[in-house]
Amino acid sequence: MTLAATEPTMDLPAVEERHLDRRQYPNGVAYMDGQYLPMSEAKISVLDWGFLHSDVTYDTVHVWDGRFFRLNQHLDRFFQNIKRLRMKLPYDRAEIAAILANCVSLSGHNSAYVDMICTRGASSTFSRDPREAENRFIAFALPFGSVANKEQLERGLHIAISYTVRIPPTSINPAIKNCHWLDLVQGLFEAYDYGAETALVVDTNGNIAEGPGFNVFAVKDGRLRTPAHSVLPGITRQTVFDLCSELGMSAMADNIRPGEIKAADEVFITSTAGGIMPVTRIDAALIGDGKVGSVTRELTSLYWKKHADPSWSTLVTALL
Ligand code: PLP
């Protein structure tokens, strides 16, 4: 029997029920289409190019103890990337800062993970011309999150090197914070298969690049090096350069071979989601003596001290 075009082809739940999402969402507040919403109600169209084609850029900043850390650097990067992708935002910089602060304040979180996102959006005709899509701005604040949990921060992460190649800069400019994560997710699954906790992927020349949501540093004889190519220029990575210049330590961006990173005295990863996080094992190799090293400890301690310093951080309430 053929069904008439107007008849539903299956039993659909009532609209109200379809919008009831039974999964748990982190407790947070989002902003989209001019409204502040509970996280569970922040939804986009499946026709958004951001969802269909990964045509989206975003930035993540964190709030610690009521203060945004390096918000200006995150806003600079976000606005630069919007321009690179030829997107347009309906808000200026001060308005975005206020929206982020409102999300944090409404969420009630004193320490938060805060995202600003711009997707290409959708066009009413499902046009294949990206210029016809209406760009969409979304922001949200969730409880502060970290790549490494408490135990991993204390004993150091165990990482596996995946020989999956990070999307080359000739395909996608890695300075544009993007959602092209299939390589990173593949690296993660390889790392889990190996019994490690997270992964590092390589660039087209086989040098270490970065991991899912973080940059990496190697310390050898008191000097720091971080991969120069095929990486997002992380704000935390830049912060490590800034802290090193304050402490008189040498730090540079360079090519790092897998063998070199395994032979380092200390290794740590950097991300807005967690800050500076120690690594004590890469594949089967213990890093240094297998314990969190003194350079990592010194930088971590200064990093967190800067969160209370007004020249490095901004009170959320000052932006409301
Ligand atoms: N590399 C990638 C691929 C990332 O997604 C991130 C952050 O999400 C980082 C590095 C670290 O960047 P930041 O220090 O700005 O958080």
Side-chain angles (χ1 to χ4, degrees):
M1 187 187 93
T2 47
L3 290 166
T6 49
E7 269 182 80
T9 51
M10 59 176 149
D11 285 337
L12 289 174
V15 171
E16 312 81 71
E17 229 186 294
R18 271 189 271 143
H19 285 266
L20 254 186
D21 204 316
R22 289 169 192 83
R23 284 167 302 175
Q24 290 289 312
Y25 281 85
N27 177 14
V29 168
Y31 175 88
M32 60 190 297
D33 301 333
Q35 273 186 305
Y36 292 94
L37 302 161
M39 203 58 217
S40 57
E41 286 174 29
K43 294 177 180 171
I44 61 159
S45 162
V46 291
L47 296 182
D48 193 306
W49 284 60
F51 173 71
L52 290 178
H53 306 302
S54 234
D55 191 350
V56 51
T57 187
Y58 72 108
D59 220 288
T60 306
V61 56
H62 71 225
V63 167
W64 191 254
D65 206 11
R67 308 182 74 90
F68 281 104
F69 189 59
R70 310 209 94 178
L71 179 60
N72 279 331
Q73 283 83 343
H74 287 279
L75 289 172
D76 285 346
R77 186 169 67 180
F78 185 55
F79 274 92
Q80 196 177 28
N81 289 332
I82 298 274
K83 200 166 157 206
R84 282 174 169 142
L85 293 179
R86 304 185 194 204
M87 290 174 173
K88 282 194 184 69
L89 281 177
Y91 309 107
D92 65 21
R93 194 181 166 100
E95 286 168 331
I96 294 220
I99 290 170
L100 300 178
N102 271 319
C103 286
V104 176
S105 165
L106 290 167
S107 77
H109 299 308
N110 202 32
S111 296
Y113 176 103
V114 186
D115 253 26
M116 56 200 105
I117 304 166
C118 188
T119 73
R120 182 73 59 197
S123 76
S124 52
T125 58
F126 195 41
S127 159
R128 302 191 69 81
D129 182 340
R131 294 169 301 184
E132 289 176 17
E134 199 181 320
N135 302 164
R136 179 187 286 274
F137 176 74
I138 305 166
F140 61 78
L142 297 178
F144 180 82
S146 171
V147 175
N149 62 32
K150 188 168 179 291
E151 184 208 325
Q152 292 164 337
L153 289 173
E154 278 160 14
R155 57 127 162 104
L157 282 155
H158 298 165
I159 289 191
I161 298 175
S162 153
Y163 289 89
T164 301
V165 174
R166 185 78 173 115
I167 298 179
T170 42
S171 297
I172 292 176
N173 178 355
I176 303 174
K177 196 164 158 63
N178 64 65
C179 295
H180 297 278
W181 267 46
L182 295 190
D183 45 8
L184 295 170
V185 173
Q186 184 173 314
L188 260 183
F189 276 108
E190 285 170 28
Y192 297 151
D193 288 345
Y194 188 83
E197 294 159 334
T198 189
L200 283 168
V201 296
V202 295
D203 68 16
T204 45
N205 295 317
N207 297 309
I208 297 293
E210 61 184 347
F214 55 83
N215 295 113
V216 66
F217 281 81
V219 186
K220 186 76 181 171
D221 301 325
R223 303 164 102 88
L224 286 84
R225 289 194 304 152
T226 187
H229 306 292
S230 278
V231 298
L232 173 77
I235 305 296
T236 324
R237 175 181 182 264
Q238 181 55 46
T239 300
V240 168
F241 282 121
D242 298 341
L243 297 175
C244 282
S245 75
E246 200 170 305
L247 292 167
M249 287 181 189
S250 148
M252 65 184 288
D254 199 2
N255 290 329
I256 304 179
R257 302 300 301 171
E260 285 180 291
I261 199 162
K262 291 190 206 181
D265 299 330
E266 296 181 36
V267 173
F268 59 82
I269 60 168
T270 61
S271 173
T272 296
I276 297 172
M277 296 163 275
V279 174
T280 46
R281 200 169 83 198
I282 299 183
D283 296 343
L286 280 187
I287 304 303
D289 62 2
K291 299 209 175 77
V292 179
S294 59
V295 173
T296 307
R297 282 188 195 285
E298 186 175 4
L299 286 167
T300 306
S301 148
L302 188 56
Y303 172 81
W304 287 106
K305 266 192 205 134
K306 294 291 185 191
H307 284 64
D309 181 338
S311 54
W312 292 61
S313 63
T314 318
L315 261 178
V316 172
T317 49
L319 299 168
L320 293 174

